[in-house]
Amino acid sequence: MPCSDIIVIVMAAGQSSRFGSDKRVAKLGNGETLLSSTLRTIQKTFSNSRVVIKPEDNAQSLGLIPTNHIIISQRSHLGLGYSISDAFRQLCSDESVHHFRAAAVWLADLPWVSEETCNVLTKTATPDSIVQPLHQGNPGHPVVFGRKFWSELALLENDRGASPVIKKHSKRVIYVSLNDPGVCTDVDYPDDLTKSLKNTRSAQAPYKNTTKITLKAKTDF
C-alpha cells in the first residue's frame, strides 16, 4: 500500500543546460519520457506528490495530467534552492499536508530509484530527521526532510539546493547505505539516457543484508 503521510516534491523546473534540450520529455528506451518514468517510479510507493515546474511550462506538453498536482516556481531561473523554497512555501501554507511527517525532495531526472529503496527511506523517516540514501559512500536522492525542517527549506535562497539545511542540522541527518545505484544515477547528458539504465541494472544485487543506517556528517545535495 502506498505511503500516504510523506509527500514527494518532484523538482522539474531546471534549465537542462547541459543536456542541450528539454530532458524532461526526452525518451527512454521504452518510449516513455524521463519525467513520466520518474513519476511512475514515485507512484509505486507514494500516494502524494507535487511537480515543480517553470512559469512558462505547458503541463500538457510535459505529459502531466490533471491528477498531477503542480507547483509553479516563479524563481526557478535563479537556481535549485529557489525552486525548493517556492515549493516549501506552498507546502507550509497547505493545511491538507500539515499532518504529514516528511517530504521527499526528488529530482525529476532520477527515474531508476528502486522500490526497495523507497520503502527503506519511508520506514526511516521521522518528523524531526533528514534521511539521505548513500551508494558506495556517495550521497544520493531522494532526500527526505522531516516536517520540522519545512519552514527552513521555504527560506532557501541559493542555486545549490538544500545543502545549507543539511549542513546546519548534520546531527539530525540519517544516512542510509543501500545497494542501489539508482539513487546516484541522474541524467545530465543525452548519452545518460541509455548508459545510466544499463549501469543501474548491471550493478544492482539482492537487497538482503545490504542496508546500513548511520548518522554521518556529509552535506552534499
Side-chain angles (χ1 to χ4, degrees), residues 2-76:
C3 175
S4 60
D5 66 343
I6 294 178
I7 189 168
V8 179
I9 307 300
V10 186
M11 306 309 303
Q15 305 301 315
S16 299
S17 56
R18 286 177 290 182
F19 194 83
S21 61
D22 192 341
K23 63 182 174 182
R24 297 171 297 181
V25 295
K27 296 292 183 66
L28 300 178
N30 61 2
E32 192 173 24
T33 68
L34 179 58
L35 178 57
S36 295
S37 182
T38 297
L39 293 176
R40 181 170 53 82
T41 296
I42 291 168
Q43 290 163 1
K44 291 178 182 179
T45 306
F46 302 94
S47 58
N48 297 286
S49 64
R50 302 285 190 275
V51 183
V52 184
I53 60 176
K54 303 186 290 288
E56 64 270 25
D57 283 331
N58 182 298
Q60 187 174 0
S61 297
L62 292 175
L64 299 174
I65 57 179
T67 54
N68 296 129
H69 297 283
I70 293 170
I71 293 176
I72 305 295
S73 172
Q74 298 294 339
R75 301 180 297 164
S76 58

Side-chain angles (χ1 to χ4, degrees), residues 157-177:
E157 291 187 349
N158 66 70
D159 60 359
R160 304 182 309 278
S163 56
V165 176
I166 296 175
K167 183 180 296 185
K168 178 180 178 181
H169 300 284
S170 59
K171 293 183 179 179
R172 302 306 309 164
V173 179
I174 300 173
Y175 286 91
V176 185
S177 296

Side-chain angles (χ1 to χ4, degrees), residues 62-152:
L62 292 175
L64 299 174
I65 57 179
T67 54
N68 296 129
H69 297 283
I70 293 170
I71 293 176
I72 305 295
S73 172
Q74 298 294 339
R75 301 180 297 164
S76 58
H77 62 286
L78 297 174
L80 179 60
Y82 289 91
S83 294
I84 293 174
S85 174
D86 287 346
F88 278 89
R89 286 184 181 188
Q90 182 165 325
L91 212 61
C92 288
S93 64
D94 187 347
E95 293 184 1
S96 69
V97 299
H98 281 185
H99 65 288
F100 285 20
R101 59 184 155 116
V105 176
W106 194 308
L107 305 181
D109 63 350
L110 205 77
W112 295 298
V113 177
S114 76
E115 191 171 352
E116 290 91 341
T117 288
C118 293
N119 289 331
V120 171
L121 298 178
T122 296
K123 292 176 182 177
T124 307
T126 66
D128 58 355
S129 68
I130 299 170
V131 182
Q132 184 166 28
L134 302 177
H135 175 64
Q136 296 181 349
N138 298 311
H141 291 84
V143 181
V144 187
F145 293 89
R147 189 178 62 247
K148 175 181 179 180
F149 308 100
W150 292 8
S151 59
E152 289 187 55

Side-chain angles (χ1 to χ4, degrees), residues 192-203:
D192 293 337
L193 291 170
T194 53
K195 289 181 179 178
S196 296
L197 179 58
K198 181 179 179 181
N199 292 340
T200 298
R201 285 178 171 172
S202 63

